[in-house]
Amino acid sequence: MFNRSKENTESPIGKTNRIVEGTVITGDITSQTDFRLDGKLIGNFTSTGKLVVGPNASIVGDVEAGNVDIEGSFEGKLNISGLLSLKSESTVKGEMIVGKLSVEPGAEVTATCKMQNSSGTKSLTAAKDVKTA
């Protein structure tokens, strides 16, 4: 009668999951919070938050997220509703569907890219074997 179960009232906003360097995950990850990957993921990643792929990290699989920063390597399909930021050390192979795209000089991109916004989708197919200098 007096034992009320405590509900989890903590909000996931402002919290970040982290997979450290040297860790290999084979399988899919789903997260409601921001996520930093410094290890290796062989599988798919889904989140409404932000994903940061560290400089020594790699992903082989598909990613669907709100925003993504890539410093390491990625191979697969990226479906990013917000900003995809490719840092100068990054290597990306596959397909990108993004709301916004930022590419630093030095990033290696071998991918197709579709820019999406509220009024439709625009295809950018000029990104064959592009290395920004």
Side-chain angles (χ1 to χ4, degrees):
M1 179 169 155
F2 294 107
N3 291 335
R4 292 186 187 172
S5 63
K6 292 185 178 181
E7 291 183 27
N8 185 0
T9 58
E10 291 186 39
S11 171
I13 296 173
K15 296 186 178 183
T16 302
N17 288 301
R18 184 169 183 165
I19 303 298
V20 296
E21 195 171 337
T23 302
V24 177
I25 295 178
T26 303
D28 297 340
I29 296 175
T30 301
S31 176
Q32 294 179 353
T33 61
D34 293 346
F35 204 95
R36 180 172 178 99
L37 177 69
D38 287 308
K40 182 174 184 176
L41 171 62
I42 303 169
N44 302 320
F45 177 86
T46 305
S47 177
T48 55
K50 181 176 183 176
L51 170 65
V52 176
V53 181
N56 296 315
S58 67
I59 296 177
V60 177
D62 297 343
V63 170
E64 186 170 336
N67 295 298
V68 176
D69 289 352
I70 299 178
E71 295 179 78
S73 67
F74 175 85
E75 185 173 343
K77 181 178 179 180
L78 290 161
N79 191 349
I80 312 305
S81 60
L83 174 65
L84 171 61
S85 180
L86 304 178
K87 305 299 182 184
S88 61
E89 308 85 21
S90 66
T91 302
V92 175
K93 296 179 183 178
E95 181 180 351
M96 303 182 299
I97 301 171
V98 300
K100 296 178 184 176
L101 178 63
S102 170
V103 182
E104 290 184 359
E108 294 183 30
V109 179
T110 306
T112 60
C113 181
K114 291 183 182 178
M115 303 294 292
Q116 64 183 1
N117 59 29
S118 59
S119 64
T121 302
K122 297 179 183 177
S123 293
L124 303 175
T125 56
K128 293 287 184 194
D129 290 318
V130 176
K131 180 174 181 170
T132 58

